[in-house]
Amino acid sequence: MVPTTSDESSAPYGTGPQPASGRVSAGRPPARVRIHHLAAAKERGEHFAMLTAYDQYAAQIFDEAGIEVLLVGDSAANNVFGYETSLPVTVDDLLPLCRAVARSARRALVVADLPFGSYETSPAQGVESGVRFLKEGLAHAVKMEGGAFYADTVRAMVQAGIPVMAHIGFTPQSEHALGGYRVQGRGDDAARLIEDAKALEAAGAFCILMEMVPAETAAAVEAAVSVPTIGIGAGASTTGQVLVWQDMAGLRGGEGTRIAKFVKQYADLRGTLLDAARRYGDDVRSGAFPGPEHSF
Ligand code: KIV
């Protein structure tokens, strides 16, 4: 699923409409992925991919690879800032990362995560935080954790012009309340997730993300709503899939690291970097680097 062509409503920033030939003309940036493209993917029975990104190079590479959605996740807490949970990061922490990603992605839809403490107290607080991410972070949409309880907040944000992706199932910001990393929506609890998804869709969410939900429950949610769903540890029935990029590319690892069952590693970046850094260190210590070709 891609916006291979661009019409008025999907034209990329500053370039105007592109040809309807199915190709992007040379010299022009490709069409920006918009929320309606994600909806169209569901209608056509297609899938799309989302990855987290927190900086310029990751954003550029994933964008060039055709990843449709980039999430500046609050998982930056664990993957950038070195915290154990996502709870400590703030809007002010995430805004510069979001700007870097948004400035670097020419095509992907950039979604910013509302961190813990930035929307819980009132719909007005959600609107305020969402506005900051669109205005100061240059994001195109925000994601927020929580079920039907937050429907009023989602509604207020959508009314303010902020596209909202809702995140249900296991919600890491509630890790302490949920008693740790636990699969949600098993057995009778599936009905709760379906109700959450319906309430969030009715409130205007353009997409429902489900984390650590049995495949069967996720399939029922995907069938119960007309907006696309995205899964992480939610089986194969969702319209989209998301992974944290350091998990996907094998950057996270080392002693004692637990890799979740739902992660598929497509590279061993940790091994590659470890090897490069070791060889660089050895060369410096032995005097092999820099050579004459590196000197002025
Ligand atoms: O912050 C994040 O990376 C997320 C994904 C796990 C969906 O919310």
Side-chain angles (χ1 to χ4, degrees):
M1 168 269 147
V2 282
T4 47
T5 61
S6 176
D7 54 24
E8 288 286 346
S9 58
S10 63
Y13 45 93
T15 62
Q18 291 184 13
S21 60
R23 299 185 111 99
V24 174
S25 65
R28 289 186 165 190
R32 174 72 69 188
V33 177
R34 304 278 188 175
I35 59 175
H36 67 83
H37 293 118
L38 307 185
K42 175 164 181 162
E43 276 162 29
R44 292 199 291 260
E46 295 172 1
H47 297 290
F48 63 84
M50 168 159 129
L51 278 174
T52 62
Y54 316 100
D55 66 26
Q56 173 186 355
Y57 292 122
Q60 280 174 0
I61 292 166
F62 302 154
D63 195 56
E64 189 180 330
I67 300 299
E68 284 89 355
V69 189
L70 297 182
L71 171 67
V72 185
D74 63 349
S75 52
N78 327 60
N79 293 289
V80 174
F81 294 110
Y83 294 117
E84 270 185 28
T85 74
S86 60
L87 301 187
V89 283
T90 63
V91 173
D92 288 321
D93 289 333
L94 293 182
L95 278 173
L97 312 191
C98 192
R99 271 196 296 275
V101 169
R103 286 201 295 242
S104 308
R106 291 164 17 123
R107 173 182 171 275
L109 182 84
V110 176
V111 180
D113 229 350
L114 294 193
F116 183 57
S118 70
Y119 60 90
E120 291 86 344
T121 56
S122 65
Q125 192 199 18
V127 172
E128 200 178 313
S129 300
V131 165
R132 288 197 71 193
F133 275 109
L134 266 61
K135 202 180 182 72
E136 299 173 48
L138 312 177
H140 309 131
V142 301
K143 174 171 89 56
M144 59 174 278
E145 296 185 9
F149 181 77
Y150 286 107
D152 286 344
T153 302
V154 171
R155 195 170 292 110
M157 292 167 72
V158 171
Q159 276 169 3
I162 304 163
V164 179
M165 176 184 289
H167 180 157
I168 61 172
F170 176 69
T171 44
Q173 291 171 17
S174 309
E175 136 173 20
H176 301 306
L178 295 173
Y181 273 65
R182 299 164 78 121
V183 173
Q184 305 291 309
R186 276 207 167 110
D188 292 346
D189 198 30
R192 175 181 64 90
L193 280 198
I194 294 169
E195 288 318 307
D196 278 344
K198 283 182 172 170
L200 292 161
E201 176 185 30
F206 72 88
C207 186
I208 311 285
L209 186 147
M210 288 176 274
E211 180 166 353
M212 287 176 61
V213 169
E216 200 183 336
T217 304
V221 171
E222 166 79 22
V225 295
S226 55
V227 293
T229 65
I230 300 180
I232 175 164
S237 301
T238 53
T239 309
Q241 293 288 332
V242 58
L243 285 176
V244 168
W245 88 255
Q246 289 88 345
D247 292 339
M248 180 279 299
L251 184 62
R252 202 168 73 82
E255 233 178 79
T257 308
R258 210 187 124 265
I259 304 294
K261 176 182 162 77
F262 55 75
V263 169
K264 179 171 175 183
Q265 282 189 354
Y266 288 84
D268 176 24
L269 279 199
R270 187 173 194 281
T272 303
L273 277 182
L274 198 56
D275 177 59
R278 280 186 176 138
R279 287 190 295 112
Y280 163 71
D282 288 347
D283 277 3
V284 169
R285 281 176 221 110
S286 72
F289 175 83
E293 70 275 31
H294 305 118
S295 304
F296 297 102

